[in-house]
Structure formats: structure tokens, C-alpha cells
Amino acid sequence: MSNQNATIVITPHDLPLHCSGPKNESWNGHPRVFLPIQSNGTVECPYCGTVYRLEGEIKGHH
């Protein structure tokens, strides 16, 4: 894993959140993994270390 990954800012419109690897095409990334994230929270991909930050409130999810 690399420490050079920037934080990717997403909004509730971008959900559900999934990662296939930073800057990769679907054929050369890691397996697509859906990442659980909380309102105004962050989550790190366990495969590549990319950090995602959600700015905003998740509406209608339990």
C-alpha cells in the first residue's frame, strides 16, 4: 500500500461508495469493494489504501 494516496471527497450523491483501485480501469484494478461510510465520515479501502471522505448527511439510510 502507498501513503501517497490523496483523500477523495465524495457527496451523498456518489453513494453507494465502491473502490476498484485509484486511477485504474476495471480490468487492472483490485476487485470492486463496497465501502461503508457514515455521514461526514471517512473510510479507507482495505485493498489500496485510498481514503474517501463523505461531506454531507446520508438521508434515508438506516
Side-chain angles (χ1 to χ4, degrees):
M1 284 197 281
S2 171
N3 297 359
Q4 299 173 4
N5 293 331
T7 298
I8 298 174
V9 177
I10 62 167
T11 66
H13 179 74
D14 300 312
L15 298 176
L17 172 60
H18 61 83
C19 183
S20 297
K23 301 178 187 171
N24 286 318
E25 300 295 327
S26 60
W27 60 270
N28 71 347
H30 60 64
R32 179 184 288 188
V33 59
F34 286 87
L35 303 171
I37 192 164
Q38 302 295 319
S39 295
N40 298 303
T42 61
V43 65
E44 180 178 343
C45 176
Y47 285 97
C48 66
T50 300
V51 176
Y52 295 89
R53 184 175 78 231
L54 177 63
E55 290 189 348
E57 296 288 325
I58 300 172
K59 306 258 191 265
H61 292 244
H62 294 80

